[in-house]
Structure formats: structure tokens, C-alpha cells
């Protein structure tokens, strides 16, 4: 049985459309016009225990709204969902003790207090025993290497340190499901790597189910085997990240290093020349033509090295969200 089951989840917001002009706006006090914004439309999916799944999509795609419905913060307009056997928006205490929600742009720690004070408050709220609290806090501080900052007021810490402590606060009561909404946003490369390593280790050791929204493809490539792609509130893809490349990228790239650099005109007809920095050239070639074009390059030129690469996932996703098709080579 899946631990998360969403069936035709839909969330529609009514947004007041304020017209320009004082008199027209005054009239709007008595007769208002509303627009409907469909944040999520008929989203259906299921997630098994222990899976780590990424929600991908541009801003406004419906990712965060979906997480908020699954965590019970908002009620859907229509559709149904079941998480750990509970209907999330009924907000039962027995459910709220079994999951955590971490939002990269919102704080749960008290700003002017040391993080450990917030941890102790969470300990009491969730009814964590003294022994379990000491054990889990020790494990998590070791994992994230934040021993030296627990007694510092949160406002004095760097963004990366605060995010690590937010993650600890979310995991102290050993939730079965962790909702992560852009946990690495704004962090430097070192902090991002540390957060990813912690998430991966915790998922592997504890078997926790994790749903992650992010705009950083590195997060997805290193953490998640499965991705759910949303755009305009709809689920466009649900499956392995490799399937996105196969489905939405009809090209591959040939990166060639020549012993004797050819002229740019000599590469015409071999594919779309993406980059030419002699002695190296990068050509974009349709997938079915890759073997023939590779053989032709090796036959016609003195080649020191050649590699066949996928189009970077960031470019594929950008084209997917924009609804563009790649031009033929």
C-alpha cells in the first residue's frame, strides 16, 4: 500500500481583480470581479514507503500547493488524498505527529533564541522522551556538523547553518514522511552538498519517505530516482529522470577534441554546432544519427577524443516548461 495517495487533487483560488481608477475601484466595493486561478489541476500519483521523489516545475506550477494539501495546511477544492492512512486536511494530531514540513523560505526556529531552545520546545510538543531526544540530537548534529552553533541565537547564524538547524528541528520526532520545499534555496555550494548528504543518509538509514521540491537539478540528480513534473498545475511526467531525457530530448551532444582543428565550415552538415573552441567542438545531433555522425567524424578528421553526452537536464527542463521544441540539426 502506498503511504501517499493523491487522486485528482485540484485547488482553485478566487482572486479579486482590482480595476484601475478611483471611481471604478470604489464601485468594486459593492460589485467585485474575481478571477479563478487553478493552482493544481487533477493531480494524481502514489508514493511508496521509503521513496524519495522530486517535484519539478517552474514557479507557479503547483508544487508547493500540492505539498501544502498533503501536509494539511490547505484544503483542496476537489479530489482526495490519503497520507499514512489519514486525510491530511482533517488535521488530526495523530497524523501531524507523523510528518514534517520544511520550507526553505520560512523559519520554524525562534529568531532570537538559540536553536537548542526551539529543539526542546519541539521535544515537548511531540512528546519525545529525554533519552530519544539526546540520541537523535546527537545523531543529527554529527551528521550535519553543527555542534558549535546550537547555543548561538538563530539570527546570528549564516543561512546555511540555519537551514541545517531547521532540518534537525524537523527530524527530532522521527517523522515517517518529510516534505521539503526548496531546502537548498540561496545556499552556497558547500551548504547545499551538506544538506543533500544529510537527506540521502537519513533516507537510507531510517527509510523515511521524502517529497522534495527544488529548482536545483543537482539536488534531483543526486537524491531522486523518480521525478514528478508539474506545469500549470498539471502532472506532465511521473517516472525516472532518465525518461525525461528520452521523452523530451530528441538530441545528444558529440564533444570532439581534434588533433588538427578543422575549419568551422568543415563541420557543416554534421550537426548543430553548439560550441567551437579549437581544438574542441560540440555538436548537437539527433539521437538516431549519433552512430553515423560519430563514424563520419572519425573517418574525416584526426580525432584525439570523442564523447557522447546527454543534453544537460537543466536545458531539457527549460525547453519543456517553455513548450519549445529543439530545432533539427
Amino acid at each position: 500500500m502506498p503511504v501517499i495517495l493523491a487522486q485528482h487533487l485540484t485547488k482553485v483560488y478566487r482572486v479579486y481583480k482590482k480595476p484601475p481608477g478611483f471611481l471604478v475601484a470604489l464601485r468594486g466595493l459593492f460589485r467585485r470581479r474575481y478571477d479563478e486561478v487553478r493552482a493544481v489541476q487533477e493531480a494524481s500519483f502514489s508514493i511508496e514507503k521509503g521513496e524519495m521523489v522530486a517535484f519539478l516545475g517552474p514557479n507557479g506550477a503547483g508544487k508547493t500547493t500540492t505539498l501544502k494539501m498533503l501536509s494539511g495546511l490547505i484544503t483542496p477544492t476537489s479530489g482526495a488524498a490519503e497520507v499514512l492512512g489519514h486525510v491530511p486536511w482533517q488535521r488530526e494530531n495523530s497524523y501531524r505527529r507523523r510528518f514534517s514540513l520544511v520550507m526553505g523560505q520560512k523559519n520554524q526556529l525562534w529568531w532570537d533564541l538559540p536553536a537548542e531552545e526551539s529543539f526542546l520546545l519541539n521535544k515537548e510538543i511531540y512528546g519525545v522522551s529525554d533519552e530519544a531526544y539526546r540520541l537523535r540530537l546527537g545523531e543529527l548534529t554529527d551528521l550535519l556538523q553543527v555542534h558549535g552553533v546550537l547555543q548561538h541565537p538563530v539570527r546570528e547564524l549564516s543561512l546555511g547553518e540555519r537551514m541545517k538547524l531547521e532540518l534537525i528541528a524537523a527530524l527530532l520526532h522521527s517523522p515517517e514522511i518529510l516534505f521539503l520545499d526548496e531546502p537548498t534555496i540561496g545556499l552556497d555550494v558547500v551548504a547545499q552538498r551538506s544538506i543533500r548528504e544529510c537527506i540521502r543518509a537519513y533516507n537510507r538509514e531510517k527509510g523515511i519517505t521524502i517529497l522534495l521540491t527544488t529548482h536545483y537539478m543537482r539536488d534531483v540528480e543526486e537524491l531522486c530516482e523518480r521525478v514528478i513534473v508539474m506545469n500549470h498545475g498539471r502532472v506532465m511526467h511521473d517516472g525516472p529522470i532518465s525518461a525525461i531525457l528520452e521523452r523530451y530530448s530528441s538530441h545528444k551532444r558529440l564533444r570532439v577534441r581534434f588533433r588538427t582543428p578543422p575549419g568551422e565550415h568543415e563541420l557543416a552538415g554534421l550537426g548543430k554546432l553548439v560550441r567551437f573552441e579549437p581544438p574542441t567542438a560540440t555538436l548537437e545531433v539527433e539521437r538516431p544519427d549519433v552512430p553515423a555522425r560519430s563514424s563520419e567524424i572519425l573517418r574525416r578528421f584526426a580525432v584525439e577524443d570523442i564523447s557522447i553526452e546527454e543534453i544537460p537536464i537543466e536545458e531539457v527542463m527549460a525547453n519543456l516548461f517553455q513548450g519549445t521544441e529543439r530545432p533539427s540539426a
Side-chain angles (χ1 to χ4, degrees), residues 2-6 9 45-48 51-55 62-74 81-89 95-106 108 126 163 166-171 173-184 195 199 202-203 208-214 223-224 228:
V3 294
I4 299 175
L5 179 63
L9 273 183
F45 53 86
S46 64
I47 297 173
E48 301 293 330
E51 274 197 282
M52 187 151 40
V53 180
F55 276 98
K63 310 181 300 296
T64 299
T65 301
T66 301
L67 287 194
K68 286 182 176 179
M69 287 190 285
L70 294 177
S71 60
L73 290 180
I74 59 177
E82 195 172 276
V83 184
L84 296 168
H86 299 268
V87 177
W89 43 91
Y95 171 57
R96 289 190 286 185
R97 294 178 185 276
R98 300 177 69 185
F99 79 91
S100 274
L101 171 64
V102 178
M103 307 185 77
Q105 301 185 60
K106 294 186 182 296
Q108 62 173 316
Y126 288 102
M163 195 62 235
E166 292 280 350
L167 194 55
I168 290 174
L171 295 173
H173 64 287
S174 293
E176 298 170 59
I177 293 179
L178 179 61
F179 299 115
L180 294 172
D181 187 28
E182 300 192 46
T184 58
I195 294 291
I199 294 170
Y202 207 82
N203 169 258
I208 187 174
T209 305
I210 298 175
L211 271 69
L212 165 74
T213 76
T214 182
L223 294 174
C224 304
I228 296 174

Side-chain angles (χ1 to χ4, degrees), residues 20-315:
F22 176 74
L23 292 177
V24 181
L26 187 62
R27 192 180 305 127
L29 294 174
F30 306 97
R31 182 178 297 174
R32 294 194 164 204
R33 286 186 55 195
Y34 291 90
D35 286 341
E36 282 194 348
V37 177
R38 293 187 169 268
V40 178
Q41 301 188 63
E42 298 284 332
S44 297
F45 53 86
S46 64
I47 297 173
E48 301 293 330
K49 177 178 173 56
E51 274 197 282
M52 187 151 40
V53 180
F55 276 98
L56 301 182
N59 290 329
K63 310 181 300 296
T64 299
T65 301
T66 301
L67 287 194
K68 286 182 176 179
M69 287 190 285
L70 294 177
S71 60
L73 290 180
I74 59 177
T75 303
T77 305
S78 62
E82 195 172 276
V83 184
L84 296 168
H86 299 268
V87 177
W89 43 91
Q90 290 180 354
R91 301 185 179 93
E92 300 164 292
N93 285 336
S94 55
Y95 171 57
R96 289 190 286 185
R97 294 178 185 276
R98 300 177 69 185
F99 79 91
S100 274
L101 171 64
V102 178
M103 307 185 77
Q105 301 185 60
K106 294 186 182 296
N107 299 321
Q108 62 173 316
L109 301 175
W110 288 86
W111 190 247
D112 293 312
L113 296 177
E116 196 163 15
E117 297 291 333
S118 294
F119 296 164
L120 289 169
L121 178 61
N122 279 12
K123 168 186 176 297
E124 297 303 322
I125 290 174
Y126 288 102
V128 179
S129 69
D130 293 342
E131 182 180 357
Y133 172 77
R134 286 193 299 270
L135 178 63
R136 293 169 193 168
L137 183 60
E139 289 177 344
L140 291 166
T141 51
D142 285 344
L143 194 60
L144 288 164
Q145 295 296 303
V146 290
H147 302 84
V149 300
L150 296 182
Q151 299 301 325
H152 293 243
V154 171
R155 57 182 165 77
E156 296 180 0
L157 304 178
S158 69
L159 179 59
E161 290 169 335
R162 292 202 303 270
M163 195 62 235
K164 292 177 183 180
L165 296 173
E166 292 280 350
L167 194 55
I168 290 174
L171 295 173
L172 276 175
H173 64 287
S174 293
E176 298 170 59
I177 293 179
L178 179 61
F179 299 115
L180 294 172
D181 187 28
E182 300 192 46
T184 58
I185 188 169
L187 303 186
D188 60 44
V189 175
V190 175
Q192 288 180 18
R193 184 172 64 244
S194 180
I195 294 291
R196 285 195 296 266
E197 289 173 353
C198 174
I199 294 170
R200 181 168 49 238
Y202 207 82
N203 169 258
R204 183 175 59 247
E205 294 171 10
K206 306 295 184 181
I208 187 174
T209 305
I210 298 175
L211 271 69
L212 165 74
T213 76
T214 182
H215 287 292
Y216 296 126
M217 290 300 107
R218 180 62 64 84
D219 290 349
V220 179
E221 291 174 319
E222 291 192 13
L223 294 174
C224 304
E225 295 182 359
R226 175 186 171 193
V227 296
I228 296 174
V229 180
M230 300 187 72
N231 201 9
H232 302 297
R234 297 185 181 277
V235 174
M236 301 180 63
H237 171 86
D238 183 353
I241 192 169
S242 58
I244 295 178
L245 295 172
E246 295 174 4
R247 181 178 178 184
Y248 295 105
S249 175
S250 58
H251 294 67
K252 287 192 173 186
R253 284 183 179 168
L254 301 180
R255 192 181 303 276
V256 188
R257 183 178 179 84
F258 300 95
R259 289 199 186 101
T260 303
E264 189 171 331
H265 65 281
E266 296 180 81
L267 300 175
L270 293 172
K272 178 184 176 183
L273 188 60
V274 177
R275 187 178 296 107
F276 187 45
E277 299 173 346
T280 301
T282 302
L283 296 157
E284 204 164 279
V285 178
E286 291 188 5
R287 285 178 180 271
D289 297 336
V290 168
R293 298 290 171 84
S294 300
S295 298
E296 185 177 353
I297 290 170
L298 292 170
R299 186 180 68 253
R300 288 175 52 187
F301 306 102
V303 175
E304 185 175 295
D305 185 52
I306 184 170
S307 62
I308 301 171
E309 303 171 357
E310 294 285 359
I311 304 293
I313 186 67
E314 292 90 346
E315 294 185 28

